[in-house]
Amino acid sequence: MKRISRLVSVLLAIVMACTTLAVTSFADDTYVASVTIDGVTTNYTTIASAFNALSSDTTATITLLCDTSYSGSGLQLNGNVTFDLNGFTLTGTSSTPMAT
């Protein structure tokens, strides 16, 4: 009985460790911004892709999810957009204005 109990304990420990690893490996900490349009929020891995999700008739909120930087041509704000830095910093260089 003691041997079975010990075996079950070891198996449960292995299952718990594997479960924790699986959750950790699938956790995606690479999202830098989210865009909320009509109550639907989508996460993006680059600030440029978040800006590109907007169209001229969009009312949206872009929210930073971490400190991020951008380098390249200017980012175009299309539509009625609220930009929420959420306590984070967006830094970068651009050859054209960041927002018009």
Side-chain angles (χ1 to χ4, degrees):
M1 184 68 168
K2 203 172 193 180
R3 191 175 202 176
I4 293 173
S5 180
R6 188 174 203 180
L7 179 62
V8 168
S9 295
V10 169
L11 288 174
L12 284 175
I14 291 170
V15 168
M16 288 174 53
C18 290
T19 303
T20 303
L21 290 174
V23 170
T24 303
S25 67
F26 289 114
D28 192 356
D29 297 331
T30 60
Y31 293 128
V32 300
S34 66
V35 175
T36 303
I37 301 171
D38 296 329
V40 177
T41 301
T42 305
N43 294 324
Y44 294 91
T45 56
T46 67
I47 194 67
S49 60
F51 274 69
N52 290 335
L54 307 174
S55 63
S56 61
D57 60 345
T58 302
T59 297
T61 300
I62 296 177
T63 305
L64 286 186
L65 303 176
C66 63
D67 290 332
T68 190
S69 61
Y70 177 78
S71 158
S73 61
L75 297 172
Q76 180 80 27
L77 281 176
N78 295 309
N80 182 13
V81 180
T82 300
F83 196 67
D84 181 1
L85 294 176
N86 197 27
F88 297 108
T89 304
L90 172 63
T91 57
T93 58
S94 177
S95 58
T96 58
M98 288 292 282
T100 56

